[in-house]
Amino acid sequence: MLVATIAGCGKKDGGDSSSSEGSETFKIGGIGPLTGPAAVYGIAVQNGADLAVKEINEAGGINGKKVEFKMEDDTHDAEKAVNAYNTLKDWGMQMLMGTVTSDPCIAVEAEAEADNMFLITPSGTAVDCIKGGNAFRLCFSDPTQGIKAAEYIGEHGVGKKIGVIYDSSSSYSKGIYENFAKEADNYGLEVVAAEAFTADSNKDFTVQLKKIKDAGADVVFLPIYYDETALILKQAKDMDFDTTFFGCDGLDGLLSVEGFDTSLAEGVMLLTPFAANAEDELTKKFVADFDAAYSQTPIQFAADGYDAIYAIKAAAEEGGITTDMSASDICDALVTSMTKIELKGLTGTISWADDGEPDKGPKAAVIEGGEYVMK
């Protein structure tokens, strides 16, 4: 097995990753929400990927060839994601890093499978995001997030009586909740109330919170995104509901919601493989370079994008791909080589099975003083 360690040795002021010197380049496409309510995720992935591509090009590229990276906006919409995919195909895409969110990824993966286009999603968690034999995942799947959340809450004594608020119109949210509920009994957890909402009713959560409070929940599990979570935390405070809130990767971005009082997030816990204040050298350098490039502290999704590009690099070098290969031939080579590499990345030490799922240890963080602190 090839063990790939991210060197992180690129200069902070590297060239634009959307162009490269010479005509022989590898073209990696990206798709995600760069505008709209989920833009925090897509922009973070784009920035992390851009930083990785700059580093890789400055270090000599992939198999001696430079990399071009082009990101298209899908606004977290499946139809627009397919349009973005076709735009990238017209551009000459040979590999795809995306999409960022689950429902668009499912739609794009169907197209990519038909084309035999290699796909690695940095953060698409629904099972069907990597349904085809051409696709891999960097993050945990929805079932795994639900299972690991139950495991963490049970083994770390976070609470016993669990209330859940989930989005029944979202494959991401529903998938995590269903697997959490199945696993809860194995860790002595009782789901005392499970309250749903939909994309058409995601502004007022007072009814759900009251039912959960009346049921005596000591933990509220939130397998949802950060924008709804910000509203839930405000409404819980208004009704004097003081409890522990626990979420998954969709909560990352909560602290950057415009107008949100971050003190409301104090003590919120979430499964996340990355915290910007970690003390390992790779994270410290990434955070410093990211801040220098974008004047921001990176969230988990930035680390996901960064690691996904380095996974492509490691697999491409293991498979010996060349720029003159067709996208289909590149896909065949990468599918084989992905199962032979081990990436020591920002989000953990990762290897991949034949089904495209990552093998890495789960981590959790708590928000303290406006920062994620690994537990």
Side-chain angles (χ1 to χ4, degrees):
M1 174 177 285
L2 173 67
V3 178
T5 301
I6 296 174
C9 58
K11 299 175 184 177
K12 299 177 202 173
D13 57 351
D16 184 352
S17 64
S18 63
S19 61
S20 57
E21 297 178 1
S23 58
E24 292 187 353
T25 60
F26 289 109
K27 290 190 172 184
I28 302 175
I31 302 173
L34 304 180
T35 58
V40 167
Y41 303 137
I43 292 170
V45 168
Q46 180 184 40
N47 288 343
D50 276 338
L51 191 60
V53 169
K54 288 176 183 177
E55 291 179 357
I56 289 167
N57 282 338
E58 288 164 357
I62 294 176
N63 294 330
K65 300 295 184 181
K66 294 294 181 70
V67 177
E68 294 184 63
F69 176 66
K70 182 179 177 64
M71 188 89 170
E72 291 289 325
D73 185 12
D74 66 12
T75 73
H76 185 45
D77 179 87
E79 183 177 351
K80 291 180 180 177
V82 171
N83 291 339
Y85 174 77
N86 289 326
T87 297
L88 289 169
K89 279 179 60 181
D90 291 342
W91 169 67
M93 173 176 62
Q94 297 165 297
M95 299 157 272
L96 174 61
M97 190 280 296
T99 68
V100 171
T101 53
S102 288
D103 289 340
C105 191
I106 292 170
V108 167
E109 163 50 15
E111 302 293 322
E113 182 184 14
D115 292 334
N116 199 36
M117 174 77 68
F118 178 80
L119 179 154
I120 181 168
T121 174
S123 48
T125 55
V127 172
D128 285 349
C129 286
I130 59 167
K131 185 177 181 180
N134 63 310
F136 289 77
R137 189 191 326 266
L138 187 89
C139 60
F140 286 131
S141 67
D142 292 342
T144 304
Q145 287 204 73
I147 290 166
K148 293 300 182 181
E151 176 185 327
Y152 190 94
I153 290 171
E155 291 189 346
H156 291 80
V158 179
K160 290 289 186 182
K161 294 185 176 183
I162 315 298
V164 184
I165 300 178
Y166 70 101
D167 182 353
S168 60
S169 65
S170 163
S171 57
Y172 165 81
S173 183
K174 187 177 179 182
I176 295 177
Y177 159 63
E178 289 174 347
N179 285 277
F180 177 88
K182 291 176 185 176
E183 194 72 11
D185 283 347
N186 293 331
Y187 293 94
L189 307 178
E190 179 187 2
V191 178
V192 296
E195 302 297 320
F197 67 93
T198 69
D200 296 324
S201 59
N202 64 350
K203 296 295 185 289
D204 186 352
F205 299 94
T206 54
V207 172
Q208 292 96 329
L209 286 166
K210 186 176 187 307
K211 288 181 178 179
I212 290 171
K213 182 179 181 181
D214 290 346
D218 51 14
V219 175
V220 179
F221 180 51
L222 301 174
I224 58 177
Y225 294 122
Y226 61 86
D227 43 2
E228 291 99 353
T229 299
L231 295 173
I232 287 170
L233 294 175
K234 174 63 166 62
Q235 291 164 20
K237 180 176 176 58
D238 290 344
M239 61 191 297
D240 295 322
F241 185 18
D242 185 14
T243 189
T244 298
F245 291 92
F246 192 104
C248 298
D249 61 357
L251 263 63
D252 205 353
L254 176 63
L255 297 176
S256 61
V257 172
E258 185 176 356
F260 176 63
D261 178 1
T262 58
S263 69
L264 297 175
E266 191 74 9
V268 170
M269 303 184 71
L270 68 154
L271 289 182
T272 178
F274 173 80
N277 58 359
E279 290 299 315
D280 63 282
E281 291 303 316
L282 182 59
T283 298
K284 288 194 291 185
K285 179 164 186 14
F286 173 69
V287 170
D289 289 351
F290 196 93
D291 179 67
Y294 310 113
S295 300
Q296 292 179 344
T297 299
I299 62 173
Q300 170 200 321
F301 287 79
D304 287 338
Y306 184 88
D307 279 359
I309 293 295
Y310 270 102
I312 290 174
K313 177 181 184 291
E317 292 175 345
E318 168 68 20
I321 70 169
T322 57
T323 56
D324 60 351
M325 293 170 65
S326 69
S328 180
D329 287 344
I330 287 174
C331 181
D332 289 340
L334 294 184
V335 165
T336 298
S337 59
M338 280 291 291
T339 62
K340 298 179 180 180
I341 64 170
E342 181 181 87
L343 180 72
K344 294 184 177 179
L346 290 166
T347 64
T349 298
I350 318 167
S351 58
W352 283 268
D354 290 336
D355 61 3
E357 296 289 359
D359 180 11
K360 58 180 177 180
K363 300 176 183 179
V366 62
I367 297 176
E368 294 179 353
E371 293 184 344
Y372 297 122
V373 179
M374 298 305 293
K375 300 299 286 183

mmCIF file of all heavy atoms in Angstrom, residues 142-143 146 164-182 196-197 221 223-224:
data_model
loop_
_atom_site.group_PDB
_atom_site.id
_atom_site.type_symbol
_atom_site.label_atom_id
_atom_site.label_comp_id
_atom_site.label_asym_id
_atom_site.label_seq_id
_atom_site.Cartn_x
_atom_site.Cartn_y
_atom_site.Cartn_z
ATOM 1 N N ASP A 142 -23.965 8.869 5.590
ATOM 2 C CA ASP A 142 -25.044 9.132 6.535
ATOM 3 C C ASP A 142 -25.213 8.002 7.545
ATOM 4 O O ASP A 142 -25.292 8.257 8.753
ATOM 5 C CB ASP A 142 -26.367 9.360 5.793
ATOM 6 C CG ASP A 142 -26.370 10.652 5.002
ATOM 7 O OD1 ASP A 142 -25.531 11.520 5.272
ATOM 8 O OD2 ASP A 142 -27.225 10.787 4.110
ATOM 9 N N PRO A 143 -25.295 6.735 7.092
ATOM 10 C CA PRO A 143 -25.426 5.667 8.083
ATOM 11 C C PRO A 143 -24.291 5.665 9.102
ATOM 12 O O PRO A 143 -24.525 5.490 10.301
ATOM 13 C CB PRO A 143 -25.407 4.392 7.228
ATOM 14 C CG PRO A 143 -25.907 4.826 5.905
ATOM 15 C CD PRO A 143 -25.375 6.214 5.715
ATOM 16 N N GLY A 146 -24.709 8.516 11.622
ATOM 17 C CA GLY A 146 -25.738 8.197 12.607
ATOM 18 C C GLY A 146 -25.259 7.182 13.621
ATOM 19 O O GLY A 146 -25.470 7.325 14.836
ATOM 20 N N VAL A 164 -34.860 14.404 18.917
ATOM 21 C CA VAL A 164 -34.283 14.583 17.581
ATOM 22 C C VAL A 164 -35.125 15.579 16.793
ATOM 23 O O VAL A 164 -36.361 15.522 16.823
ATOM 24 C CB VAL A 164 -34.228 13.247 16.807
ATOM 25 C CG1 VAL A 164 -33.524 13.445 15.458
ATOM 26 C CG2 VAL A 164 -33.542 12.160 17.617
ATOM 27 N N ILE A 165 -34.456 16.489 16.114
ATOM 28 C CA ILE A 165 -35.114 17.342 15.121
ATOM 29 C C ILE A 165 -34.402 17.092 13.798
ATOM 30 O O ILE A 165 -33.190 17.279 13.689
ATOM 31 C CB ILE A 165 -35.028 18.834 15.494
ATOM 32 C CG1 ILE A 165 -35.700 19.080 16.854
ATOM 33 C CG2 ILE A 165 -35.698 19.685 14.419
ATOM 34 C CD1 ILE A 165 -35.607 20.527 17.319
ATOM 35 N N TYR A 166 -35.178 16.632 12.791
ATOM 36 C CA TYR A 166 -34.554 16.284 11.517
ATOM 37 C C TYR A 166 -35.416 16.757 10.355
ATOM 38 O O TYR A 166 -36.620 17.020 10.501
ATOM 39 C CB TYR A 166 -34.299 14.783 11.414
ATOM 40 C CG TYR A 166 -35.546 13.935 11.271
ATOM 41 C CD1 TYR A 166 -35.947 13.441 10.034
ATOM 42 C CD2 TYR A 166 -36.332 13.618 12.381
ATOM 43 C CE1 TYR A 166 -37.074 12.663 9.890
ATOM 44 C CE2 TYR A 166 -37.467 12.836 12.261
ATOM 45 C CZ TYR A 166 -37.839 12.364 11.013
ATOM 46 O OH TYR A 166 -38.973 11.587 10.874
ATOM 47 N N ASP A 167 -34.783 16.877 9.197
ATOM 48 C CA ASP A 167 -35.439 17.342 7.977
ATOM 49 C C ASP A 167 -35.864 16.130 7.157
ATOM 50 O O ASP A 167 -35.040 15.476 6.525
ATOM 51 C CB ASP A 167 -34.477 18.229 7.179
ATOM 52 C CG ASP A 167 -35.106 18.797 5.915
ATOM 53 O OD1 ASP A 167 -36.232 18.406 5.569
ATOM 54 O OD2 ASP A 167 -34.446 19.629 5.266
ATOM 55 N N SER A 168 -37.162 15.821 7.166
ATOM 56 C CA SER A 168 -37.648 14.635 6.469
ATOM 57 C C SER A 168 -37.611 14.791 4.955
ATOM 58 O O SER A 168 -37.769 13.805 4.223
ATOM 59 C CB SER A 168 -39.072 14.307 6.921
ATOM 60 O OG SER A 168 -39.946 15.381 6.644
ATOM 61 N N SER A 169 -37.369 16.003 4.467
ATOM 62 C CA SER A 169 -37.282 16.235 3.019
ATOM 63 C C SER A 169 -35.849 16.151 2.506
ATOM 64 O O SER A 169 -35.615 16.301 1.303
ATOM 65 C CB SER A 169 -37.872 17.599 2.658
ATOM 66 O OG SER A 169 -37.109 18.656 3.225
ATOM 67 N N SER A 170 -34.903 15.896 3.378
ATOM 68 C CA SER A 170 -33.480 15.838 3.024
ATOM 69 C C SER A 170 -32.954 14.422 3.193
ATOM 70 O O SER A 170 -33.061 13.832 4.270
ATOM 71 C CB SER A 170 -32.684 16.795 3.917
ATOM 72 O OG SER A 170 -31.308 16.500 3.879
ATOM 73 N N SER A 171 -32.371 13.855 2.129
ATOM 74 C CA SER A 171 -31.795 12.514 2.239
ATOM 75 C C SER A 171 -30.651 12.486 3.237
ATOM 76 O O SER A 171 -30.437 11.481 3.931
ATOM 77 C CB SER A 171 -31.309 12.040 0.859
ATOM 78 O OG SER A 171 -30.373 12.933 0.302
ATOM 79 N N TYR A 172 -29.900 13.579 3.323
ATOM 80 C CA TYR A 172 -28.816 13.689 4.310
ATOM 81 C C TYR A 172 -29.358 13.545 5.726
ATOM 82 O O TYR A 172 -28.951 12.676 6.496
ATOM 83 C CB TYR A 172 -28.120 15.038 4.136
ATOM 84 C CG TYR A 172 -27.221 15.454 5.287
ATOM 85 C CD1 TYR A 172 -25.933 14.954 5.401
ATOM 86 C CD2 TYR A 172 -27.667 16.351 6.256
ATOM 87 C CE1 TYR A 172 -25.107 15.332 6.446
ATOM 88 C CE2 TYR A 172 -26.859 16.738 7.298
ATOM 89 C CZ TYR A 172 -25.582 16.225 7.397
ATOM 90 O OH TYR A 172 -24.769 16.610 8.444
ATOM 91 N N SER A 173 -30.301 14.386 6.080
ATOM 92 C CA SER A 173 -30.819 14.439 7.446
ATOM 93 C C SER A 173 -31.579 13.169 7.804
ATOM 94 O O SER A 173 -31.382 12.572 8.874
ATOM 95 C CB SER A 173 -31.728 15.664 7.603
ATOM 96 O OG SER A 173 -32.184 15.782 8.925
ATOM 97 N N LYS A 174 -32.457 12.732 6.925
ATOM 98 C CA LYS A 174 -33.273 11.542 7.188
ATOM 99 C C LYS A 174 -32.394 10.297 7.327
ATOM 100 O O LYS A 174 -32.629 9.456 8.196
ATOM 101 C CB LYS A 174 -34.288 11.360 6.064
ATOM 102 C CG LYS A 174 -35.294 10.254 6.303
ATOM 103 C CD LYS A 174 -36.303 10.186 5.162
ATOM 104 C CE LYS A 174 -37.302 9.066 5.371
ATOM 105 N NZ LYS A 174 -38.259 8.961 4.244
ATOM 106 N N GLY A 175 -31.369 10.193 6.481
ATOM 107 C CA GLY A 175 -30.492 9.022 6.536
ATOM 108 C C GLY A 175 -29.727 8.933 7.838
ATOM 109 O O GLY A 175 -29.600 7.850 8.428
ATOM 110 N N ILE A 176 -29.212 10.059 8.305
ATOM 111 C CA ILE A 176 -28.483 10.052 9.580
ATOM 112 C C ILE A 176 -29.429 9.697 10.721
ATOM 113 O O ILE A 176 -29.111 8.860 11.579
ATOM 114 C CB ILE A 176 -27.810 11.409 9.837
ATOM 115 C CG1 ILE A 176 -26.732 11.689 8.796
ATOM 116 C CG2 ILE A 176 -27.196 11.442 11.237
ATOM 117 C CD1 ILE A 176 -26.073 13.042 8.954
ATOM 118 N N TYR A 177 -30.596 10.339 10.757
ATOM 119 C CA TYR A 177 -31.557 10.082 11.843
ATOM 120 C C TYR A 177 -31.962 8.609 11.898
ATOM 121 O O TYR A 177 -31.957 7.999 12.979
ATOM 122 C CB TYR A 177 -32.808 10.940 11.702
ATOM 123 C CG TYR A 177 -33.979 10.381 12.452
ATOM 124 C CD1 TYR A 177 -33.934 10.264 13.849
ATOM 125 C CD2 TYR A 177 -35.104 9.903 11.789
ATOM 126 C CE1 TYR A 177 -34.985 9.710 14.560
ATOM 127 C CE2 TYR A 177 -36.158 9.345 12.487
ATOM 128 C CZ TYR A 177 -36.097 9.249 13.866
ATOM 129 O OH TYR A 177 -37.130 8.685 14.562
ATOM 130 N N GLU A 178 -32.309 8.025 10.768
ATOM 131 C CA GLU A 178 -32.783 6.649 10.767
ATOM 132 C C GLU A 178 -31.732 5.681 11.300
ATOM 133 O O GLU A 178 -32.052 4.748 12.056
ATOM 134 C CB GLU A 178 -33.214 6.252 9.355
ATOM 135 C CG GLU A 178 -34.501 6.935 8.902
ATOM 136 C CD GLU A 178 -34.852 6.647 7.457
ATOM 137 O OE1 GLU A 178 -33.982 6.114 6.726
ATOM 138 O OE2 GLU A 178 -35.996 6.961 7.059
ATOM 139 N N ASN A 179 -30.490 5.886 10.950
ATOM 140 C CA ASN A 179 -29.435 4.994 11.429
ATOM 141 C C ASN A 179 -29.064 5.281 12.879
ATOM 142 O O ASN A 179 -28.682 4.368 13.611
ATOM 143 C CB ASN A 179 -28.223 5.090 10.509
ATOM 144 C CG ASN A 179 -28.457 4.363 9.206
ATOM 145 O OD1 ASN A 179 -28.287 3.154 9.117
ATOM 146 N ND2 ASN A 179 -28.883 5.091 8.191
ATOM 147 N N PHE A 180 -29.178 6.539 13.307
ATOM 148 C CA PHE A 180 -29.004 6.865 14.716
ATOM 149 C C PHE A 180 -30.053 6.149 15.554
ATOM 150 O O PHE A 180 -29.736 5.537 16.587
ATOM 151 C CB PHE A 180 -29.120 8.373 14.921
ATOM 152 C CG PHE A 180 -29.017 8.808 16.350
ATOM 153 C CD1 PHE A 180 -27.787 9.086 16.929
ATOM 154 C CD2 PHE A 180 -30.166 8.949 17.135
ATOM 155 C CE1 PHE A 180 -27.698 9.487 18.261
ATOM 156 C CE2 PHE A 180 -30.083 9.345 18.454
ATOM 157 C CZ PHE A 180 -28.849 9.620 19.017
ATOM 158 N N ALA A 181 -31.296 6.201 15.109
ATOM 159 C CA ALA A 181 -32.387 5.568 15.860
ATOM 160 C C ALA A 181 -32.187 4.062 15.971
ATOM 161 O O ALA A 181 -32.457 3.464 17.020
ATOM 162 C CB ALA A 181 -33.725 5.889 15.202
ATOM 163 N N LYS A 182 -31.709 3.444 14.900
ATOM 164 C CA LYS A 182 -31.460 1.998 14.932
ATOM 165 C C LYS A 182 -30.348 1.641 15.905
ATOM 166 O O LYS A 182 -30.381 0.585 16.555
ATOM 167 C CB LYS A 182 -31.087 1.509 13.523
ATOM 168 C CG LYS A 182 -32.224 1.540 12.526
ATOM 169 C CD LYS A 182 -31.724 1.132 11.145
ATOM 170 C CE LYS A 182 -32.799 1.253 10.083
ATOM 171 N NZ LYS A 182 -32.274 0.937 8.724
ATOM 172 N N ALA A 196 -39.988 16.070 13.036
ATOM 173 C CA ALA A 196 -39.539 16.363 11.678
ATOM 174 C C ALA A 196 -39.967 17.757 11.227
ATOM 175 O O ALA A 196 -40.906 18.346 11.765
ATOM 176 C CB ALA A 196 -40.096 15.318 10.711
ATOM 177 N N PHE A 197 -39.252 18.263 10.240
ATOM 178 C CA PHE A 197 -39.663 19.444 9.499
ATOM 179 C C PHE A 197 -39.293 19.206 8.040
ATOM 180 O O PHE A 197 -38.696 18.174 7.708
ATOM 181 C CB PHE A 197 -39.003 20.719 10.045
ATOM 182 C CG PHE A 197 -37.507 20.782 9.850
ATOM 183 C CD1 PHE A 197 -36.948 21.394 8.744
ATOM 184 C CD2 PHE A 197 -36.647 20.225 10.799
ATOM 185 C CE1 PHE A 197 -35.576 21.451 8.555
ATOM 186 C CE2 PHE A 197 -35.261 20.273 10.620
ATOM 187 C CZ PHE A 197 -34.731 20.883 9.499
ATOM 188 N N PHE A 221 -30.503 15.784 19.418
ATOM 189 C CA PHE A 221 -29.664 15.388 18.282
ATOM 190 C C PHE A 221 -30.162 16.114 17.041
ATOM 191 O O PHE A 221 -31.350 16.067 16.706
ATOM 192 C CB PHE A 221 -29.725 13.872 18.088
ATOM 193 C CG PHE A 221 -28.889 13.358 16.949
ATOM 194 C CD1 PHE A 221 -27.544 13.708 16.837
ATOM 195 C CD2 PHE A 221 -29.425 12.497 16.009
ATOM 196 C CE1 PHE A 221 -26.760 13.231 15.803
ATOM 197 C CE2 PHE A 221 -28.654 12.006 14.968
ATOM 198 C CZ PHE A 221 -27.321 12.374 14.861
ATOM 199 N N PRO A 223 -29.325 16.182 13.226
ATOM 200 C CA PRO A 223 -28.679 15.761 11.975
ATOM 201 C C PRO A 223 -29.107 16.659 10.818
ATOM 202 O O PRO A 223 -29.691 16.213 9.820
ATOM 203 C CB PRO A 223 -29.196 14.331 11.808
ATOM 204 C CG PRO A 223 -30.571 14.378 12.392
ATOM 205 C CD PRO A 223 -30.500 15.344 13.556
ATOM 206 N N ILE A 224 -28.815 17.949 10.942
ATOM 207 C CA ILE A 224 -29.309 18.970 10.015
ATOM 208 C C ILE A 224 -28.170 19.943 9.699
ATOM 209 O O ILE A 224 -27.037 19.778 10.165
ATOM 210 C CB ILE A 224 -30.520 19.726 10.600
ATOM 211 C CG1 ILE A 224 -30.168 20.387 11.936
ATOM 212 C CG2 ILE A 224 -31.701 18.784 10.766
ATOM 213 C CD1 ILE A 224 -31.288 21.209 12.548
#
